[in-house]
Amino acid sequence: MKKFKINSDFITLGQFLKATDYIGSGGEAKFFLLQQEVFVNHERRTERGKKLYHGDQVMIFETVHYIVNDTKHTS
């Protein structure tokens, strides 16, 4: 399992695919998601705008990525 750190409340599935080098540009996300099986929390997803939050799991090509929030909260 690979950890993927985000520094905001969420990241979209399309942004995630680009940041992890599964695609080269955001425009490729739609086609990638239609051609490849991508699972978010064990459900197949095809929406590039799907929001990924801390604790979500994304599986692509049998590799599991775990979304981790990397923001520093101060009280």
Side-chain angles (χ1 to χ4, degrees), residues 4-57:
F4 182 82
K5 295 181 180 181
I6 59 173
N7 55 11
S8 59
D9 290 337
F10 66 87
I11 185 171
T12 66
L13 185 53
Q15 292 169 327
F16 172 82
L17 293 172
K18 187 170 184 310
T20 52
D21 294 326
Y22 284 104
I23 59 173
S25 71
E28 296 174 21
K30 180 179 179 178
F31 302 105
F32 182 88
L33 290 167
L34 291 175
Q35 294 174 353
Q36 305 299 328
E37 290 189 343
V38 176
F39 296 88
V40 175
N41 299 325
H42 308 287
E43 293 183 27
R44 178 136 194 258
R45 305 305 281 205
T46 58
E47 319 92 300
R48 64 182 177 210
K50 168 70 177 149
K51 293 178 181 176
L52 306 175
Y53 297 93
H54 171 78
D56 283 346
Q57 291 184 3

Side-chain angles (χ1 to χ4, degrees), residues 9 69-75:
D9 290 337
N69 191 323
D70 195 36
T71 57
K72 307 292 188 259
H73 297 288
T74 58
S75 359

Side-chain angles (χ1 to χ4, degrees), residues 57-69:
Q57 291 184 3
V58 180
M59 187 172 79
I60 304 170
F61 303 130
E62 298 184 15
T63 300
V64 176
H65 301 268
Y66 183 69
I67 308 299
V68 178
N69 191 323

